[in-house]
Amino acid sequence: MDLSAPAPQIACPLLVIDGGQDVIPGVTNGEPPARLAPHGRYVTLPHGDHLLGNARPGWQAMAADWISGALG
């Protein structure tokens, strides 16, 4: 689902984390909505796939820091 159109109206902080190995031909990643959202941030985890839970050490601490900063 492409969320680029409604992204500019997302008022809350938006963190999008994509796995760099999760490539599906013809499907966009989460970068456009994160870029278009007023408080969006996009992160690519090079060694991650669609199961980012398998790569928690690569993103979990960064996400916690980002969330606390965005909400603090």
Side-chain angles (χ1 to χ4, degrees):
M1 175 185 309
D2 184 2
L3 298 174
S4 296
Q9 282 107 40
I10 298 173
C12 63
L14 175 67
L15 176 63
V16 178
I17 303 172
D18 274 338
Q21 295 178 7
D22 191 15
V23 178
I24 302 170
V27 176
T28 186
N29 61 23
E31 188 272 334
R35 178 177 38 82
L36 295 168
H39 307 285
R41 178 170 177 205
Y42 179 72
V43 176
T44 300
L45 191 62
H47 61 279
D49 58 18
H50 66 282
L51 299 173
L52 284 175
N54 295 335
R56 278 189 193 103
W59 64 267
Q60 202 165 33
M62 178 279 308
D65 289 344
W66 184 87
I67 291 167
S68 72
L71 299 178

